[in-house]
Amino acid sequence: MTNKPLTQKQAAALEFIKSFISKNGYPPTIREIADYMGHQSSSTAFNMLEQLVRKGYVKKEEGAIRTLQIVDPKKMDATRRIYLASSWKNAEHVMYIKGLLVSAGFEVDAFCDTDAGRFVFSFDMLPDVDNLDARTVLEEPAVKRAFAEDKKWLDWADTVLLILPAGKSAHLEAGYAAGAGKKLVIYQDEFPRGEFDVMYGFADLISNDFQEIIQFLKGEAL
């Protein structure tokens, strides 16, 4: 049986189920899946779970969520999942790069993609941003939601592509990825002289040749 491709939300739900089972020794309930995915209704999570079953990624006994099982990983789709970390100043370029990667057969999350069904956030959404600081900004509901959304997709991904130039958030995401054992690739059209960082040593590849990056991602084992 060949597994059908997953949507980003389905892939994120699958990763949550796998992580939950690994941590607790038993699968999550539909309500727990719904809470993780940010759905108020359990029916949405139930429908997503049914899609995972139909596509061959999980199996379960009818009416018994605690018997949920992950299908043998060797039978799972091996498509690389890539999280794009960058700056809103690069949004147009980020979407162009997403298109290239999707065309190459990868699954890709872009923080600025308003058509992908993810929560898209920018600090322009905050009404009084100039009066916030590093502590108080984290109390803003939109910021809390943005953090949870981005972390969800970071956890979903097996690779982070840091597209330079980028700010603090993107660099923190790159560091998180490296610490979690994910592949980290750093890309910029041209690397300006005098702009670098010692900790770029965490990267598995630094390149200004996008074809080299695609070949690297296709050649690296998951």
Side-chain angles (χ1 to χ4, degrees):
M1 175 179 177
T2 301
N3 299 103
K4 296 181 180 179
L6 295 175
T7 65
Q8 288 187 347
K9 288 187 176 182
Q10 290 167 356
L14 178 63
E15 287 303 308
F16 169 70
I17 294 169
K18 291 167 64 177
S19 176
F20 190 100
I21 293 174
S22 176
K23 179 180 179 181
N24 298 286
Y26 55 85
T29 63
I30 291 177
R31 182 66 261 170
E32 288 166 334
I33 296 173
D35 288 343
Y36 175 78
M37 301 300 294
H39 299 310
Q40 294 183 348
S41 172
S42 295
S43 63
T44 304
F46 176 82
N47 291 334
M48 185 174 295
L49 182 58
E50 289 300 304
Q51 288 296 319
L52 291 176
V53 172
R54 292 191 190 101
K55 290 185 176 183
Y57 289 84
V58 300
K59 56 184 179 180
K60 67 182 181 70
E61 295 180 15
E62 289 300 322
I65 186 65
R66 292 298 187 185
T67 63
L68 187 67
Q69 296 179 33
I70 299 295
V71 174
D72 184 350
K74 294 181 180 179
K75 299 179 182 179
M76 303 296 286
D77 179 60
T79 301
R80 186 170 292 283
R81 300 185 297 273
I82 303 171
Y83 180 97
L84 302 182
S86 191
S87 165
W88 269 100
K89 295 178 181 179
N90 302 331
E92 185 175 345
H93 192 41
V94 168
M95 291 303 297
Y96 172 72
I97 288 175
K98 177 176 180 177
L100 293 178
L101 292 169
V102 170
S103 296
F106 302 115
E107 295 181 50
V108 186
D109 174 68
F111 63 91
C112 53
D113 189 352
T114 57
D115 295 326
R118 58 123 63 225
F119 177 58
V120 175
F121 171 81
S122 73
F123 285 110
D124 294 338
M125 296 169 60
L126 301 179
D128 198 25
V129 66
D130 291 336
N131 289 320
L132 298 172
D133 60 31
R135 296 169 300 174
T136 58
V137 72
L138 296 178
E139 297 303 316
E140 293 291 322
V143 173
K144 290 181 178 180
R145 183 181 176 189
F147 173 80
E149 182 78 0
D150 287 349
K151 185 178 183 300
K152 177 177 72 179
W153 291 113
L154 274 169
D155 291 339
W156 162 82
D158 52 59
T159 303
V160 167
L161 175 58
L162 175 61
I163 303 169
L164 300 176
K168 295 186 289 292
S169 289
H171 281 82
L172 282 169
E173 290 167 342
Y176 176 84
K182 302 175 186 292
K183 293 293 181 183
L184 173 60
V185 177
I186 299 176
Y187 170 74
Q188 190 166 6
D189 290 338
E190 294 184 13
F191 292 109
R193 295 184 182 276
E195 296 184 16
F196 42 76
D197 194 281
V198 169
M199 304 314 289
Y200 283 172
F202 279 129
D204 297 284
L205 175 68
I206 302 176
S207 177
N208 61 355
D209 182 342
F210 205 75
Q211 286 305 311
E212 179 186 19
I213 289 175
I214 288 178
Q215 291 305 312
F216 172 80
L217 294 174
K218 286 185 173 181
E220 284 291 298
L222 289 173

